[in-house]
Amino acid sequence: MIAPVDANAVGNIENLVTLTAGQYTSGSLILMVSYGAHFAFILYFLMTSMQLAPRYRVVPIISAVVMASAGLSLLREFTTWQETYQFVGGMYQPVAEGETFTNAYRYGNWTITVPLLLTQLPIAFALARPDLHKRAFRMAIPALLMIWTGLYGQFGETGDWSRLNVWGVISTVFFVWLIIEVRGVITAGIANSPAELKAWPKNIWWFFLATWGLYPIAYALPQLGFTGDVVVVRQLLFSIADISSKLIYGVILSRYVLRRSALEGYLPSAEALSTTPAGSTAASIRGD
Ligand code: RET
């Protein structure tokens, strides 16, 4: 028997909708693929760090830390999702007691991952130390304010639209501030990149805007209605955003610093790429 629930007391719309078996399984699958991908890439980032000049090794190491942290958070979202629904009368219904689903864990997790993701940029661009620290700090402040105001606002998504939208707008103001700070780091990164690699920070800029921009869309989505499709599409958007902004972003930064290491004369990187003259020479001396 499903007890009637007070819409404003349940936090997220996942607790208000009945899902078809297809929607429930899609949600499970999306979350499972997400945490699986994050955990698997811990290995990739740790191994890839070995090919880099020492000053850049921390870039994929930070990615590995982000993978572990996000993977654990997404695993928790997955288990909570499974505990939230029970199969009754051919449909998946939110359980009357025991567990409620929440996306708030995501926001908590971003508190850790977002400052790390942002700090990777000035390190990869090899900005000089006092400037690097200053810029990392100046990005972290608007980023944390953006996350925490959004965390507060998302509790309004079950019907308190003014709470959702007012805090959503406040959070977006911090997002704009963050974008300005990131643009400054990108500009410094272009100036500080070797000529062959100047396109990389420019492309990373567009990638950043496109992938981080998915989060506010996921935030606003419940206003389209409390339906199983909205619930599933929202989890899908979050997952696409997560895999892009952390995992693919980490791969891009790792490849950038690998090329940079090679151009700066670090032989193992040149060998790993084997496209630079130094790499080919080293490989041919070794006979491979
Ligand atoms: C919120 C609230 C609504 C307004 C805006 C938001 C932006 C969120 C962003 C999150 C990025 C998260 C990342 C996580 C990686 O682990 C908080 C949804 C603008 C940009 C990159």
Side-chain angles (χ1 to χ4, degrees):
M1 191 51 216
I2 310 295
V5 282
D6 170 5
N8 286 317
V10 295
N12 286 135
I13 63 164
E14 281 80 358
N15 304 302
L16 298 174
V17 298
T18 297
L19 303 178
T20 65
Q23 288 166 337
Y24 170 80
T25 309
S26 303
S28 293
L29 184 139
I30 290 164
L31 291 166
M32 185 205 74
V33 169
S34 297
Y35 79 73
H38 283 78
F39 283 140
F41 269 74
I42 295 174
L43 213 59
Y44 170 85
F45 287 118
L46 290 181
M47 303 300 284
T48 216
S49 72
M50 296 174 190
Q51 299 177 320
L52 302 175
R55 75 181 300 183
Y56 297 120
R57 282 184 198 159
V58 73
V59 172
I61 289 173
I62 292 176
S63 279
V65 172
V66 167
M67 292 299 110
S69 171
L72 283 168
S73 158
L74 290 166
L75 176 59
R76 196 68 193 97
E77 292 288 354
F78 172 80
T79 52
T80 307
W81 173 273
Q82 300 222 307
E83 287 161 14
T84 297
Y85 297 100
Q86 59 183 5
F87 193 57
V88 185
M91 297 290 277
Y92 280 87
Q93 317 256 15
V95 292
E97 40 190 67
E99 183 65 292
T100 55
F101 188 81
T102 177
N103 287 298
Y105 298 154
R106 293 180 179 276
Y107 292 69
N109 185 246
W110 300 343
T111 301
I112 311 295
T113 55
V114 164
L116 288 172
L117 291 167
L118 293 167
T119 307
Q120 279 179 299
L121 275 181
I123 301 176
F125 296 150
L127 302 191
R129 241 181 216 100
D131 190 35
L132 187 163
H133 293 156
K134 193 187 79 194
R135 286 182 184 276
F137 183 71
R138 282 177 45 170
M139 290 188 288
I141 298 295
L144 291 175
L145 292 172
M146 171 189 83
I147 293 164
W148 295 335
T149 49
L151 169 61
Y152 184 74
Q154 59 92 41
F155 287 112
E157 73 172 34
T158 49
D160 189 351
W161 301 141
S162 58
R163 176 169 177 175
L164 186 74
N165 288 320
V166 167
W167 288 96
V169 167
I170 294 171
S171 174
T172 303
V173 172
F174 292 124
F175 188 34
V176 172
W177 172 7
L178 170 63
I179 288 174
I180 294 168
E181 295 294 339
V182 170
R183 181 63 233 187
V185 173
I186 295 279
T187 304
I190 297 170
N192 206 35
S193 286
E196 297 88 333
L197 298 180
K198 286 199 191 290
W200 285 68
K202 291 180 193 162
N203 293 335
I204 290 168
W205 165 245
W206 295 113
F207 186 79
F208 164 80
L209 289 181
T211 57
W212 288 49
L214 295 175
Y215 290 96
I217 299 174
Y219 175 95
L221 219 57
Q223 292 174 94
L224 293 183
F226 300 171
T227 69
D229 284 341
V230 168
V231 161
V232 174
V233 167
R234 201 238 306 247
Q235 291 303 322
L236 182 65
L237 262 184
F238 269 137
S239 284
I240 293 172
D242 281 342
I243 292 177
S244 313
S245 68
K246 293 181 268 231
L247 196 158
I248 299 177
Y249 169 83
V251 172
I252 294 172
L253 285 186
S254 302
R255 300 308 290 175
Y256 167 80
V257 288
L258 179 66
R259 279 166 177 72
R260 232 187 133 127
S261 297
L263 287 167
E264 290 170 7
Y266 187 69
L267 225 51
S269 310
E271 281 189 76
L273 285 167
S274 263
T275 49
T276 58
S280 309
T281 313
S284 65
I285 289 169
R286 260 207 342 230
D288 55 27

